[in-house]
mmCIF file of all heavy atoms in Angstrom:
data_model
loop_
_atom_site.group_PDB
_atom_site.id
_atom_site.type_symbol
_atom_site.label_atom_id
_atom_site.label_comp_id
_atom_site.label_asym_id
_atom_site.label_seq_id
_atom_site.Cartn_x
_atom_site.Cartn_y
_atom_site.Cartn_z
ATOM 1 N N ALA A 33 20.163 -10.102 18.080
ATOM 2 C CA ALA A 33 19.103 -11.107 17.913
ATOM 3 C C ALA A 33 19.511 -12.364 18.663
ATOM 4 O O ALA A 33 20.533 -12.972 18.349
ATOM 5 C CB ALA A 33 18.937 -11.424 16.432
ATOM 6 N N THR A 34 18.753 -12.719 19.685
ATOM 7 C CA THR A 34 18.982 -14.003 20.360
ATOM 8 C C THR A 34 17.604 -14.635 20.532
ATOM 9 O O THR A 34 16.816 -14.150 21.326
ATOM 10 C CB THR A 34 19.667 -13.837 21.738
ATOM 11 O OG1 THR A 34 18.836 -13.075 22.604
ATOM 12 C CG2 THR A 34 21.036 -13.184 21.638
ATOM 13 N N PHE A 35 17.339 -15.664 19.770
ATOM 14 C CA PHE A 35 16.021 -16.312 19.814
ATOM 15 C C PHE A 35 15.587 -16.463 21.275
ATOM 16 O O PHE A 35 16.323 -17.019 22.086
ATOM 17 C CB PHE A 35 16.074 -17.670 19.099
ATOM 18 C CG PHE A 35 14.849 -18.491 19.331
ATOM 19 C CD1 PHE A 35 13.609 -18.015 18.940
ATOM 20 C CD2 PHE A 35 14.914 -19.715 19.957
ATOM 21 C CE1 PHE A 35 12.457 -18.751 19.166
ATOM 22 C CE2 PHE A 35 13.771 -20.464 20.192
ATOM 23 C CZ PHE A 35 12.548 -19.978 19.794
ATOM 24 N N GLN A 109 14.312 -9.555 13.587
ATOM 25 C CA GLN A 109 15.107 -10.314 12.619
ATOM 26 C C GLN A 109 14.182 -11.118 11.713
ATOM 27 O O GLN A 109 13.365 -11.906 12.184
ATOM 28 C CB GLN A 109 16.059 -11.251 13.356
ATOM 29 C CG GLN A 109 17.027 -11.930 12.420
ATOM 30 C CD GLN A 109 18.090 -12.743 13.138
ATOM 31 O OE1 GLN A 109 17.770 -13.689 13.868
ATOM 32 N NE2 GLN A 109 19.334 -12.387 12.938
ATOM 33 N N HIS A 179 18.395 -11.689 8.163
ATOM 34 C CA HIS A 179 19.389 -12.700 8.546
ATOM 35 C C HIS A 179 19.966 -13.358 7.291
ATOM 36 O O HIS A 179 19.287 -14.118 6.608
ATOM 37 C CB HIS A 179 18.738 -13.750 9.445
ATOM 38 C CG HIS A 179 19.701 -14.513 10.298
ATOM 39 N ND1 HIS A 179 21.066 -14.382 10.194
ATOM 40 C CD2 HIS A 179 19.488 -15.426 11.298
ATOM 41 C CE1 HIS A 179 21.655 -15.177 11.078
ATOM 42 N NE2 HIS A 179 20.716 -15.816 11.758
ATOM 43 N N LYS A 232 22.555 -8.975 8.689
ATOM 44 C CA LYS A 232 23.528 -9.761 9.459
ATOM 45 C C LYS A 232 24.138 -10.786 8.510
ATOM 46 O O LYS A 232 23.428 -11.631 7.967
ATOM 47 C CB LYS A 232 22.826 -10.447 10.639
ATOM 48 C CG LYS A 232 23.777 -11.099 11.635
ATOM 49 C CD LYS A 232 23.038 -11.475 12.913
ATOM 50 C CE LYS A 232 23.979 -12.028 13.982
ATOM 51 N NZ LYS A 232 23.284 -12.358 15.227
ATOM 52 N N PHE A 278 29.906 -18.596 18.277
ATOM 53 C CA PHE A 278 29.866 -18.217 19.702
ATOM 54 C C PHE A 278 31.250 -18.147 20.353
ATOM 55 O O PHE A 278 31.493 -17.361 21.213
ATOM 56 C CB PHE A 278 29.065 -19.252 20.507
ATOM 57 C CG PHE A 278 27.614 -19.329 20.156
ATOM 58 C CD1 PHE A 278 27.120 -20.322 19.324
ATOM 59 C CD2 PHE A 278 26.724 -18.409 20.676
ATOM 60 C CE1 PHE A 278 25.773 -20.397 19.019
ATOM 61 C CE2 PHE A 278 25.370 -18.478 20.379
ATOM 62 C CZ PHE A 278 24.900 -19.474 19.544
ATOM 63 N N TYR A 316 36.078 -11.256 18.716
ATOM 64 C CA TYR A 316 36.724 -12.308 17.918
ATOM 65 C C TYR A 316 36.524 -12.178 16.413
ATOM 66 O O TYR A 316 37.193 -12.872 15.660
ATOM 67 C CB TYR A 316 36.339 -13.708 18.435
ATOM 68 C CG TYR A 316 34.868 -13.975 18.683
ATOM 69 C CD1 TYR A 316 34.028 -14.366 17.664
ATOM 70 C CD2 TYR A 316 34.341 -13.861 19.967
ATOM 71 C CE1 TYR A 316 32.686 -14.650 17.908
ATOM 72 C CE2 TYR A 316 33.007 -14.134 20.224
ATOM 73 C CZ TYR A 316 32.175 -14.522 19.188
ATOM 74 O OH TYR A 316 30.855 -14.793 19.427
ATOM 75 N N ILE A 335 29.884 -7.355 16.274
ATOM 76 C CA ILE A 335 29.278 -8.393 17.115
ATOM 77 C C ILE A 335 30.317 -9.475 17.380
ATOM 78 O O ILE A 335 31.257 -9.634 16.598
ATOM 79 C CB ILE A 335 28.015 -9.003 16.448
ATOM 80 C CG1 ILE A 335 27.175 -9.765 17.482
ATOM 81 C CG2 ILE A 335 28.371 -9.911 15.272
ATOM 82 C CD1 ILE A 335 25.789 -10.142 16.995
ATOM 83 N N GLY A 337 31.613 -11.282 21.135
ATOM 84 C CA GLY A 337 32.536 -11.115 22.255
ATOM 85 C C GLY A 337 32.755 -9.672 22.674
ATOM 86 O O GLY A 337 33.840 -9.316 23.106
ATOM 87 N N GLY A 358 25.037 -9.908 22.638
ATOM 88 C CA GLY A 358 24.141 -11.028 22.892
ATOM 89 C C GLY A 358 24.259 -11.457 24.342
ATOM 90 O O GLY A 358 23.522 -11.014 25.231
ATOM 91 N N ARG A 359 25.267 -12.312 24.611
ATOM 92 C CA ARG A 359 25.389 -12.903 25.948
ATOM 93 C C ARG A 359 25.615 -11.881 27.048
ATOM 94 O O ARG A 359 25.078 -12.025 28.150
ATOM 95 C CB ARG A 359 26.524 -13.938 25.926
ATOM 96 C CG ARG A 359 26.172 -15.179 25.129
ATOM 97 C CD ARG A 359 27.384 -15.988 24.757
ATOM 98 N NE ARG A 359 28.202 -15.311 23.765
ATOM 99 C CZ ARG A 359 29.275 -15.844 23.188
ATOM 100 N NH1 ARG A 359 29.641 -17.068 23.507
ATOM 101 N NH2 ARG A 359 29.965 -15.166 22.293
HETATM 102 C C1 FMN B 1 20.724 -17.713 23.416
HETATM 103 C C2 FMN B 1 21.193 -17.224 22.081
HETATM 104 C C3 FMN B 1 20.306 -17.261 20.997
HETATM 105 C C4 FMN B 1 20.718 -16.765 19.757
HETATM 106 N N1 FMN B 1 19.814 -16.704 18.723
HETATM 107 C C5 FMN B 1 20.162 -16.057 17.567
HETATM 108 C C6 FMN B 1 19.186 -15.781 16.582
HETATM 109 O O1 FMN B 1 18.001 -16.083 16.725
HETATM 110 N N2 FMN B 1 19.603 -15.131 15.463
HETATM 111 C C7 FMN B 1 20.903 -14.748 15.286
HETATM 112 O O2 FMN B 1 21.236 -14.152 14.258
HETATM 113 N N3 FMN B 1 21.836 -14.992 16.214
HETATM 114 C C8 FMN B 1 21.492 -15.609 17.357
HETATM 115 N N4 FMN B 1 22.421 -15.767 18.347
HETATM 116 C C9 FMN B 1 23.804 -15.305 18.119
HETATM 117 C C10 FMN B 1 23.987 -13.870 18.633
HETATM 118 O O3 FMN B 1 23.174 -12.940 17.967
HETATM 119 C C11 FMN B 1 25.453 -13.434 18.460
HETATM 120 O O4 FMN B 1 25.774 -13.486 17.073
HETATM 121 C C12 FMN B 1 26.423 -14.315 19.251
HETATM 122 O O5 FMN B 1 25.874 -14.665 20.504
HETATM 123 C C13 FMN B 1 27.746 -13.598 19.461
HETATM 124 O O6 FMN B 1 27.555 -12.393 20.164
HETATM 125 P P1 FMN B 1 27.899 -12.246 21.755
HETATM 126 O O7 FMN B 1 29.348 -12.598 21.909
HETATM 127 O O8 FMN B 1 27.611 -10.815 22.071
HETATM 128 O O9 FMN B 1 27.031 -13.198 22.478
HETATM 129 C C14 FMN B 1 22.042 -16.277 19.585
HETATM 130 C C15 FMN B 1 22.907 -16.249 20.690
HETATM 131 C C16 FMN B 1 22.502 -16.705 21.918
HETATM 132 C C17 FMN B 1 23.458 -16.636 23.075
#
Side-chain angles (χ1 to χ4, degrees):
T34 62
F35 169 60
Q109 187 173 61
H179 202 354
K232 190 167 185 178
F278 295 100
Y316 48 84
I335 197 168
R359 290 163 290 185

